[in-house]
Amino acid sequence: MKIKFVYLVALLFLASCGHKQYDETVIGEEEYYEDELYLDEAEDMAKERPIYRETETILTDLIHTRLDVNFDWTKSRMNGRATITAKPHFYASDSIFLDAKGMDILKVSMENKALTYSYDSLTLLIHLGKTFTRDEKYTVVIDYVAKPDERVTGGSAAITSDKGLYFINPTGDDKSKMPQIWTQGETESSSVWFPTIDTPNAKTTQEIFMTVANKYATLSNGKLISSKQNVDGTRTDHWKQELPHAPYLFMMGVGEFKVVKDVYTRPDGTKMDVNYYVEAQWESSAKAIFGETPAMISHFSKLLGVEYPWDKYHQIVARDYVSGAMENTGAVVFGDFVYKTERELLDGNDQSTIAHELFHHWFGDLVTCESWSNLPLNESFANYSQYLWDEYRYGKDEADFQAVVETDGYYQSAQMQGYHNLIWFDYYDKEQMFDGHSYNKGGRILHMLRNHLGDDAFFKGIQMYLTTNKFKPAEFHQLRLAFEEVSGQDLNWFFNQWFLGAGHPVLDVNYDTDTMNHKVSVIVGQKQDLKLSPIYRLPVDIAVYDSEGKHVYKMLIDSLNQKHTFAYAGELKSIVFDDQKMLLAKIREEKPAEQYLFEYYNATRYKARKEGLLFGTQGPIVKTAKGQQLILDALNDTFWDIRLTAIEKAVKLKDENVGKANKLIRDLAMNDPNSGVRAAALAYLSNKLESTEMTAVCIDRLEKDQSYLVISSALKSLGKIDVELALKKAKTLESEQSSKMISGVAQLYGAHGKEDALIFFEKALKGTILQGFDQLGVLNSLTFFNVRQEPATIEKTFDLYKYMNETGGYYTKMFMSQNVAYLISMFETKMTELDEEIAAHEKNNNAAYADSARRKKKDYNALKELFLTLPTEE
Ligand SMILES: [Zn+2]
């Protein structure tokens, strides 16, 4: 599963860089558990055994699950018959326990004879009528009604994300949303729509017969075996998956989806269906969105040495989806954030999410974490697939850049929610497992392991893990054993510190150069909190650059304070700690600016070159010819993020270099292949170029650039030079069907819009084009717009705030109170100013002016009262 973390950094990142979007990444239900109750109880608890989330005991082996279902759209219910074939796992038994949440159980039978059962709305205990041994299979049939919307969720507030089965706009009242049904099983919600053993260590083959009105397309796991017309005008689709998988991966989708066909060719020449289920208006964009999928299947199959194991690979886009995306076997669900036109895709695609879900088909679907504590066996690999895909498709720099983003995501998440072991046996709630540890940190750990073992051993180890454990659950020891067997190395030290430890290394790195004897010492101190984290064992590469070139040395850091000395020839040019820039560690390093400068020009990895640029232009060195030249050179770097950083650094240029940079950056604005760089270049130039020239550049981009990000930036820059012209241009862009463009226009109106912009704001916020953060961005722009308006205009916007407070998206609702508080404080400031004005008019005996000011103050006070009816604090 790919979830959405809410951190502010993500917001800032999105705002500043349109390259790739991270709004796909959760909305967590994570909470702090450091409440007072817990702290008070901590002492008592210390006397007890610590929490241990053990793996579910296997009493029964599921063998096959057949479901026959139809849907009652008006009641949001599903009528089902489950035919479950099972056997005792080891010990003989006369009963079977099934998870079945909030259902009506109508009848339970075996071979047409009714069986007795008990049911408490969570667990269905069926008495089989005789004792079965582990060599005896049996089949029970359960007739039931699933009622996801009527479930009583054990006294706590109903959590919308564990309904399992979702009817979206089932009566079709909302004309903006295509009616549809979809499911979300992970973690343990499949048992809301069929009775099963709802744990990740259960596996079963599956077939589903879905009866629907003829107009609907259906999707489920496995192959479509048949599609039969019924006499009553309905149709029954038979989907069958012959390979076993865990119940949380079961999936159904129903709706008037268009099915766009694609194909993957296996190495033996056979073809496999790869279909994209989208709403009609997105049919023409489906291949632009998902079209890399066959190439991904091919790449990952080769890399892993295990051919894609399932029958087909279909992807579907769901409305009101409760997560980012979900790896249901061969039937992957995405939230509607992936709906993007070809033009929108120029500013960032969702291939990371597509790769993530696909990789789960080996890690999660083929080999499954045996318990939620072992979730990193699923999510760390899925996270790392994003690196693997970027590396293959876009090169090492892009992969390394995304790795930095992932690393920051881990630090942020850990800071907000606390540190814990990667394999986490004492969580309070299984949903906590879906955090920056299981995903981001786990991905970085796998990268370090790959670095340590080398590509060959790493991928051979993975291949062994997959083939040894296929169609079975696994725990993290099995991963270690596979790597140990292949590499011949004991890897307990690695797994203990990274999988069974918390936190990360914090390193002080210093250098001591002995120019007399041509020696340089690397002095490393481990500074992490040892109450939380171990003393790490960290094999790293040290690159020493001297008069003869580059030499790479191995250094093993395994104590608190360490010093390694290396010889160099001639002059020491630079020294790069962790040459591969693969360590997950916070590093405080000190070395001369000249060495950083050298590092920019000579290091191989993106992160090292960026370090070189940042610190090679910091302090007095930036004023030297070399420092100035570094910024100019970085503007021509091969990698977009370095060019972007160089644009930011260009403010430090002096004299004739300013003109040189303007020329270079003007060229970036017009021609850079990356839209983020073009947009940043335009922003930089807005107060650098002479206004006629800048106007010409902006008009050129507004008319010729395809990227909405660039057009938005051009609009903003133009607004700083020629407001009237910018507003005129914005008018023509209002109707673009792009979330980014609408939010760009809103930004301009926020800064310069007149009263007539109200119609635009209303259309934008009530329309269906804005997505995720952009909706919040437009609301923020409306607030800035209001700051410049008269009370009568502001009053007209109130209903819009009210509407957004009720129907807005997650982020909009989250930041609504900030917007309201901002307005109220503006009203108060105005009233204070008016008080002063009134006093001044009275002093000067200007009664008429004083009255007018009083009326205005009254208007602001009324506005304050009005807006106070909206939330002002969280
Ligand atoms: Zn995932």
Side-chain angles (χ1 to χ4, degrees):
M1 183 161 37
K2 186 135 184 188
I3 338 186
K4 305 211 172 209
F5 299 108
V6 182
Y7 16 89
L8 217 54
V9 163
L11 261 171
L12 295 174
F13 178 77
L14 262 182
S16 65
C17 162
H19 176 70
K20 277 206 178 167
Q21 290 223 338
Y22 277 79
D23 50 351
E24 77 265 18
T25 335
V26 164
I27 292 169
E29 294 107 46
E30 299 85 357
E31 286 166 32
Y32 269 111
Y33 285 84
E34 289 177 10
D35 53 357
E36 280 176 23
L37 184 74
Y38 170 61
L39 291 176
D40 285 348
E41 286 175 353
E43 248 179 56
D44 293 338
M45 283 171 75
K47 292 168 200 154
E48 293 168 13
R49 282 169 58 79
I51 295 171
Y52 172 62
R53 304 286 174 192
E54 66 187 298
T55 301
E56 193 74 22
T57 303
I58 303 171
L59 301 170
T60 303
D61 290 337
L62 292 174
I63 296 166
H64 185 67
T65 302
R66 170 185 165 145
L67 304 175
D68 292 81
V69 303
N70 61 68
F71 306 92
D72 184 340
W73 290 74
T74 53
K75 289 186 180 151
S76 295
R77 291 179 174 182
M78 187 188 86
N79 304 306
R81 165 175 284 187
T83 307
I84 296 169
T85 304
K87 71 174 193 65
H89 175 69
F90 188 84
Y91 301 106
S93 174
D94 62 356
S95 56
I96 177 172
F97 285 93
L98 296 170
D99 298 295
K101 294 180 180 132
M103 294 176 179
D104 286 345
I105 303 293
L106 307 178
K107 198 172 106 190
V108 180
S109 61
M110 184 189 286
E111 291 167 2
N112 288 321
K113 271 181 258 164
L115 294 177
T116 59
Y117 63 90
S118 61
Y119 180 53
D120 64 359
S121 94
L122 283 177
T123 308
L124 176 65
L125 168 60
I126 302 172
H127 304 285
L128 301 169
K130 68 164 241 194
T131 298
F132 288 81
T133 71
R134 61 177 175 270
D135 300 320
E136 292 176 285
K137 283 196 264 186
Y138 57 84
T139 299
V140 293
V141 178
I142 303 150
D143 291 300
Y144 64 97
V145 181
K147 305 185 295 179
D149 286 17
E150 298 154 66
R151 242 185 96 206
V152 181
T153 48
S156 73
I159 305 162
T160 54
S161 61
D162 70 348
K163 285 206 296 188
L165 174 64
Y166 294 77
F167 289 81
I168 304 302
N169 190 24
T171 51
D173 292 344
D174 181 351
K175 297 294 169 216
S176 72
K177 214 178 276 170
M178 187 183 88
Q180 56 198 265
I181 297 170
W182 45 262
T183 60
Q184 167 59 35
E186 199 174 26
T187 49
E188 295 174 5
S189 301
S190 283
S191 46
V192 175
W193 61 278
F194 63 96
T196 189
I197 298 173
D198 205 354
T199 62
N201 62 344
K203 294 218 175 191
T204 170
T205 55
Q206 156 199 345
E207 60 192 314
I208 305 187
F209 294 77
M210 296 161 73
T211 299
V212 295
N214 211 13
K215 63 179 175 177
Y216 295 125
T218 71
L219 174 62
S220 185
N221 319 88
K223 267 189 185 154
L224 181 63
I225 302 294
S226 66
S227 206
K228 203 180 105 232
Q229 297 292 331
N230 302 315
V231 285
D232 63 356
T234 61
R235 193 185 77 243
T236 301
D237 289 349
H238 175 199
W239 292 90
K240 186 171 188 186
Q241 175 157 307
E242 294 180 9
L243 298 170
H245 66 156
Y248 77 86
L249 296 165
F250 278 44
M251 183 275 177
M252 291 189 305
V254 181
E256 289 180 71
F257 290 99
K258 296 289 172 194
V259 182
V260 177
K261 292 187 187 305
D262 209 340
V263 70
Y264 162 64
T265 308
R266 294 191 189 268
D268 65 4
T270 56
K271 309 271 186 205
M272 183 184 90
D273 288 342
V274 176
N275 295 348
Y276 315 129
Y277 282 58
V278 294
E279 290 169 36
Q281 69 179 105
W282 293 99
E283 196 174 3
S284 61
S285 306
K287 285 222 171 149
I289 298 166
F290 292 113
E292 292 278 8
T293 308
M296 282 185 196
I297 300 174
S298 169
H299 177 58
F300 289 153
S301 292
K302 280 184 208 143
L303 199 60
L304 297 169
V306 176
E307 179 58 22
Y308 175 79
W310 310 97
D311 295 323
K312 65 147 197 320
Y313 194 76
H314 292 354
Q315 295 166 101
I316 188 170
V317 184
R319 290 283 176 187
D320 296 351
Y321 188 52
V322 289
S323 187
M326 178 67 207
E327 67 269 20
N328 312 300
T329 313
V332 173
V333 178
F334 292 85
D336 60 8
F337 66 88
V338 297
Y339 279 145
K340 291 185 178 87
T341 61
E342 228 160 310
R343 273 186 76 176
E344 289 181 283
L345 287 165
L346 296 173
D347 297 324
N349 60 54
D350 295 298
Q351 288 175 21
S352 287
T353 309
I354 294 168
H356 179 112
E357 305 310 327
L358 173 61
F359 218 57
H360 271 309
H361 282 67
W362 289 268
F363 302 91
D365 299 7
L366 182 63
V367 180
T368 312
C369 61
E370 64 164 32
S371 68
W372 300 120
S373 297
N374 281 283
L375 184 71
L377 290 184
N378 293 9
E379 296 302 347
S380 302
F381 280 98
N383 178 279
Y384 192 50
S385 75
Q386 300 165 207
Y387 185 97
L388 296 172
W389 175 249
D390 281 338
E391 183 182 22
Y392 169 75
R393 182 70 177 75
Y394 301 100
K396 263 199 167 61
D397 283 349
E398 183 66 40
D400 283 345
F401 169 80
Q402 298 298 339
V404 171
V405 176
E406 293 296 320
T407 308
D408 290 343
Y410 154 67
Y411 290 139
Q412 287 282 329
S413 154
Q415 205 155 39
M416 284 164 69
Q417 294 146 31
Y419 294 91
H420 56 78
N421 294 352
L422 195 75
I423 304 298
W424 190 10
F425 288 114
D426 57 352
Y427 60 72
Y428 286 84
D429 185 316
K430 58 188 181 306
E431 307 305 326
Q432 285 178 291
M433 287 301 302
F434 296 82
D435 69 355
H437 282 79
S438 296
Y439 289 71
N440 310 42
K441 187 185 185 189
R444 304 326 310 142
I445 291 172
L446 291 172
H447 188 58
M448 286 188 287
L449 187 60
R450 174 183 171 190
N451 234 277
H452 175 66
L453 295 174
D455 278 12
D456 200 10
F458 178 74
F459 289 109
K460 279 276 183 313
I462 287 181
Q463 185 189 32
M464 170 158 290
Y465 166 76
L466 289 171
T467 45
T468 309
N469 300 292
K470 63 181 175 185
F471 305 112
K472 290 195 290 194
E475 60 184 305
F476 78 103
H477 292 297
Q478 276 145 332
L479 187 65
R480 174 177 55 82
L481 291 170
F483 284 122
E484 288 188 348
E485 184 166 345
V486 165
S487 70
Q489 298 181 29
D490 185 324
L491 292 169
N492 267 312
W493 62 271
F494 185 91
F495 278 74
N496 284 347
Q497 70 187 18
W498 290 114
F499 285 76
L500 291 181
H504 49 263
V506 177
L507 306 179
D508 273 356
V509 179
N510 290 288
Y511 306 99
D512 188 6
T513 311
D514 175 357
T515 45
M516 289 287 286
N517 298 303
H518 295 269
K519 279 178 182 165
V520 58
S521 297
V522 182
I523 304 144
V524 182
Q526 295 200 32
K527 301 291 178 190
Q528 63 275 8
D529 180 357
L530 295 178
K531 287 199 281 294
L532 174 77
S533 305
I535 297 173
Y536 288 94
R537 173 175 171 176
L538 305 168
V540 292
D541 286 354
I542 309 292
V544 176
Y545 294 88
D546 62 19
S547 300
E548 287 174 356
K550 178 181 180 180
H551 315 272
V552 179
Y553 301 104
K554 302 270 172 212
M555 175 172 176
L556 182 67
I557 300 161
D558 59 357
S559 61
L560 275 183
N561 292 294
Q562 229 152 340
K563 183 171 165 179
H564 286 238
T565 303
F566 306 98
Y568 63 84
E571 187 194 345
L572 178 68
K573 309 270 176 144
S574 188
I575 181 160
V576 176
F577 182 79
D578 181 21
D579 186 43
Q580 301 301 313
K581 293 293 170 196
M582 55 85 199
L583 263 191
L584 175 66
K586 291 227 168 173
I587 299 171
R588 292 181 293 241
E589 186 187 23
E590 260 187 51
K591 68 183 179 194
E594 286 76 12
Q595 289 196 17
Y596 277 115
L597 195 134
F598 186 92
E599 184 176 348
Y600 169 75
Y601 288 105
N602 294 279
T604 40
R605 303 307 284 246
Y606 148 77
K607 218 179 140 190
R609 289 191 294 116
K610 179 147 177 179
E611 246 173 40
L613 170 59
L614 289 176
F615 302 113
T617 54
Q618 198 164 327
I621 195 169
V622 76
K623 296 198 176 109
T624 67
K626 273 183 169 183
Q628 296 270 301
Q629 191 58 42
L630 172 51
I631 297 172
L632 293 174
D633 288 339
L635 287 169
N636 280 322
D637 197 273
T638 50
F639 187 53
W640 65 267
D641 181 63
I642 304 259
R643 296 195 297 276
L644 199 72
T645 311
I647 292 172
E648 287 162 17
K649 283 272 177 186
V651 292
K652 295 193 172 183
L653 291 170
K654 301 263 175 279
D655 309 326
E656 78 276 9
N657 291 325
V658 178
K660 280 187 198 167
N662 287 351
K663 202 162 161 284
L664 286 170
I665 295 173
R666 189 181 183 284
D667 187 51
L668 295 179
M670 306 295 271
N671 302 312
D672 199 280
N674 182 283
S675 61
V677 174
R678 295 202 299 281
L682 282 170
Y684 173 87
L685 292 172
S686 64
N687 58 4
K688 288 284 183 299
L689 295 188
E690 172 272 316
S691 71
T692 323
E693 193 189 359
M694 189 61 204
T695 304
V697 170
C698 289
I699 296 291
D700 180 88
R701 290 300 82 197
L702 279 165
E703 283 167 4
K704 294 193 191 132
D705 212 296
Q706 287 296 299
S707 152
Y708 289 119
L709 186 71
V710 175
I711 293 175
S712 294
S713 182
L715 200 58
K716 200 171 163 184
S717 291
L718 187 61
K720 289 180 186 165
I721 311 162
D722 188 339
V723 174
E724 290 310 316
L725 186 58
L727 289 173
K728 213 173 115 197
K729 284 283 170 193
K731 199 90 201 148
T732 66
L733 295 164
E734 282 184 8
S735 55
E736 287 292 334
Q737 303 286 305
S738 152
S739 183
K740 287 270 168 292
M741 193 64 252
I742 298 296
S743 96
V745 171
Q747 254 187 44
L748 185 80
Y749 290 168
H752 307 290
K754 310 210 172 79
E755 198 194 334
D756 64 347
L758 257 184
I759 304 158
F760 161 81
F761 278 114
E762 180 150 349
K763 218 175 125 199
L765 287 169
K766 289 192 170 171
T768 54
I769 295 168
L770 289 177
Q771 293 179 342
F773 286 121
D774 292 331
Q775 191 188 62
L776 171 64
V778 173
L779 184 79
N780 292 344
S781 293
L782 175 65
T783 300
F784 292 133
F785 166 82
N786 268 336
V787 170
R788 294 180 295 100
Q789 305 304 314
E790 289 299 311
T793 309
I794 302 173
E795 196 189 338
K796 286 185 198 157
T797 66
F798 173 76
D799 283 344
L800 203 45
Y801 282 90
K802 195 164 170 243
Y803 176 80
M804 294 318 290
N805 188 47
E806 283 154 12
T807 64
Y810 183 83
Y811 304 108
T812 304
K813 284 183 173 165
M814 190 165 150
F815 289 96
M816 174 57 77
S817 58
Q818 276 189 18
N819 277 278
V820 174
Y822 189 83
L823 283 175
I824 286 173
S825 102
M826 185 269 279
F827 302 150
E828 283 168 347
T829 309
K830 292 272 186 199
M831 285 191 278
T832 313
E833 284 168 12
L834 286 163
D835 275 336
E836 286 163 15
E837 217 179 286
I838 293 164
H841 288 316
E842 281 175 344
K843 203 174 158 194
N844 297 327
N845 290 321
N846 285 333
Y849 285 122
D851 274 350
S852 154
R854 252 186 228 103
R855 275 196 298 278
K856 211 166 175 188
K857 188 190 164 190
K858 217 173 127 194
D859 289 343
Y860 277 115
N861 198 47
L863 279 177
K864 184 183 162 186
E865 297 298 321
L866 188 63
F867 276 85
L868 274 173
T869 60
L870 293 171
T872 52
E873 53 190 72
E874 280 161 67

